[in-house]
């Protein structure tokens, strides 16, 4: 079948690059365009997305792609959750007999063993497609890996860099709230690749999710990061909290004394 007549499927994570790829696909007037979103669950209640990203996907991005660009989104959800895989016993390899524990710092089993496996199963039943992949023109390493038959790198074809992709999404009102000073990419809220300030923000904004990480940390046979556990982060953040409270109390005490001193000066002035 001629490519133009085949279904064009945008593998959509709802980060800036995949949304920009969807917008450009319509601007290029590609036929039969739709999106595929693999919603991976952390457990029976929470997905792997940060709550603000989850809300953005379902309340903003999916409806806008449909109503403004005519792009329907098909949602697939793996039966296996992150917690299921975390506690699954390894059957082969160096750590046979151990549970999986935390996703690897250099190789994430969430993507490989859960997300991509579900997407590949979907592809088996949807063979006659062209996959539209959101890889920016300045992501050279990813271009080489994904330049294969049956895929179109729409952003690369049009010379759209990551910065341009972000501007496209912003102008369309489809830039995820995830993109901020602290976060430049979407990702799992429990990802070990996060910086310390991102983990601290997670702990402050979503203590229930942080508690889940502490629970997993107690059970994992492997540390969250090399030589760093979630428990150690918790101890460090608690110490920082105590220090901040101390300095706040000290500052408040100075302000109170200054206020009393100024009030006394006013009284003395009236007496004179």
């Amino acid at each position: 079948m001629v490519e133009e007549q085949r279904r064009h499927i945008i593998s959509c994570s709802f980060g800036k690059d995949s949304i920009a790829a969807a917008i450009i696909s319509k601007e290029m007037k590609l036929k039969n365009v739709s999106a595929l979103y693999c919603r991976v669950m952390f457990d029976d209640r929470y997905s792997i997305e940060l709550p603000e990203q989850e809300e953005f996907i379902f309340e903003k991005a999916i409806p806008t792609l449909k109503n403004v660009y005519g792009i329907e989104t098909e949602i697939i959800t793996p039966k296996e959750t992150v917690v299921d895989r975390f506690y699954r016993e390894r059957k082969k390899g160096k750590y046979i007999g151990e549970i999986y524990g935390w996703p690897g710092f250099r190789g994430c089993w969430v993507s490989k063993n859960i997300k991509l496996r579900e997407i590949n199963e979907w592809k088996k039943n949807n063979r006659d497609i062209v996959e539209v992949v959101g890889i920016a023109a300045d992501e050279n390493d990813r271009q080489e890996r994904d330049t294969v038959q049956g895929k179109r790198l729409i952003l690369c074809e049009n010379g759209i860099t990551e910065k341009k992709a972000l501007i496209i999404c912003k102008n369309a009102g489809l830039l995820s709230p995830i993109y901020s000073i602290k976060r430049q990419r979407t990702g799992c809220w429990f990802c070990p690749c996060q910086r310390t300030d991102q983990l601290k923000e997670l702990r402050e904004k979503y203590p229930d999710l942080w508690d889940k990480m502490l629970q997993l940390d107690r059970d994992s046979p492997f540390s969250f990061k090399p030589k760093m556990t979630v428990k150690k982060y918790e101890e460090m953040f608690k110490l920082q909290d105590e220090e901040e409270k101390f300095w706040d109390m000290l500052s408040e005490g100075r302000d109170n004394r200054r206020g009393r001193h100024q009030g006394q000066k006013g009284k003395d002035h009236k007496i004179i």
Side-chain angles (χ1 to χ4, degrees):
M1 186 182 289
V2 179
E3 182 175 308
E4 282 298 314
Q5 297 175 334
R6 295 162 67 187
R7 292 174 63 199
H8 289 82
I9 304 296
I10 303 159
S11 298
C12 212
S13 65
F14 294 101
K16 67 184 190 314
D17 295 335
S18 59
I19 290 181
I23 294 171
I24 295 300
S25 295
K26 295 304 290 187
E27 289 182 355
M28 291 178 65
K29 301 187 184 304
L30 294 186
K31 305 295 184 182
N32 304 318
V33 178
S34 58
L36 179 69
Y37 172 54
C38 184
R39 185 180 187 235
V40 179
M41 299 299 292
F42 173 79
D43 56 18
D44 293 338
R45 180 181 177 187
Y46 296 97
S47 84
I48 64 173
E49 306 286 356
L50 281 162
E52 57 262 49
Q53 174 70 357
E54 180 89 350
E55 182 179 359
F56 167 76
I57 290 171
F58 287 96
E59 300 298 325
K60 180 69 175 179
I62 290 178
T64 302
L65 287 183
K66 178 181 178 181
N67 298 329
V68 177
Y69 298 95
I71 298 176
E72 296 277 357
T73 301
E74 182 176 349
I75 302 168
I76 56 177
T77 304
K79 291 182 180 178
E80 184 176 36
T81 68
V82 169
V83 170
D84 290 337
R85 173 65 61 162
F86 185 98
Y87 287 104
R88 177 185 284 193
E89 187 177 298
R90 294 176 185 265
K91 301 298 183 183
K92 58 183 180 179
K94 182 179 178 181
Y95 301 104
I96 188 169
E98 296 273 15
I99 64 171
Y100 271 75
W102 285 118
F105 190 71
R106 294 187 180 276
C108 179
W109 51 251
V110 176
S111 178
K112 179 182 178 180
N113 294 84
I114 302 179
K115 182 178 182 178
L116 292 180
R117 183 171 292 177
E118 186 71 17
I119 291 173
N120 289 334
E121 282 297 315
W122 181 89
K123 287 180 182 177
K124 289 179 183 178
N125 299 315
N126 297 270
R127 294 183 180 277
D128 198 24
I129 64 170
V130 176
E131 189 176 356
V132 179
V133 184
I135 294 178
D138 50 351
E139 294 182 278
N140 297 323
D141 57 330
R142 293 185 66 199
Q143 285 183 48
E144 294 175 4
R145 189 173 68 243
D146 284 86
T147 302
V148 297
Q149 187 175 2
K151 288 187 179 183
R152 286 193 66 172
L153 310 186
I154 291 289
L155 302 184
C156 296
E157 291 175 23
N158 290 274
I160 296 172
T161 61
E162 288 195 80
K163 184 176 180 179
K164 287 181 180 178
L166 188 145
I167 293 171
I168 289 170
C169 293
K170 188 174 182 179
N171 290 341
L174 283 174
L175 184 64
S176 168
I178 287 296
Y179 295 102
S180 63
I181 295 173
K182 291 185 179 179
R183 294 181 186 273
Q184 287 76 48
R185 293 187 177 277
T186 58
C188 304
W189 51 262
F190 50 88
C191 180
C193 295
Q194 294 178 86
R195 301 191 310 270
T196 300
D197 61 331
Q198 294 171 331
L199 291 168
K200 186 174 183 179
E201 181 185 54
L202 176 74
R203 177 179 177 267
E204 292 171 352
K205 291 178 67 174
Y206 305 110
D208 53 336
L209 300 184
W210 184 253
D211 286 343
K212 288 179 179 292
M213 289 181 64
L214 285 169
Q215 176 61 54
L216 294 185
D217 198 59
R218 287 191 287 269
D219 296 338
S220 177
F222 312 106
S223 63
F224 180 63
K225 291 187 179 188
K227 300 181 181 180
M228 196 65 179
T229 64
V230 180
K231 182 181 178 182
K232 286 182 179 178
Y233 275 115
E234 172 67 11
E235 291 169 350
M236 180 175 69
F237 294 152
K238 276 186 175 179
L239 182 60
Q240 290 174 356
D241 289 345
E242 291 171 2
E243 289 176 349
E244 288 174 7
K245 286 180 181 178
F246 171 78
W247 290 111
D248 286 345
M249 288 174 61
L250 200 63
S251 176
E252 185 179 343
R254 284 201 206 99
D255 291 342
N256 289 338
R257 286 195 297 274
R258 189 180 296 115
R260 287 196 298 270
H261 179 67
Q262 290 175 345
Q264 185 60 47
K265 285 178 66 176
K267 290 179 181 179
D268 293 343
H269 179 72
K270 287 180 181 179
I271 292 171
I272 292 171

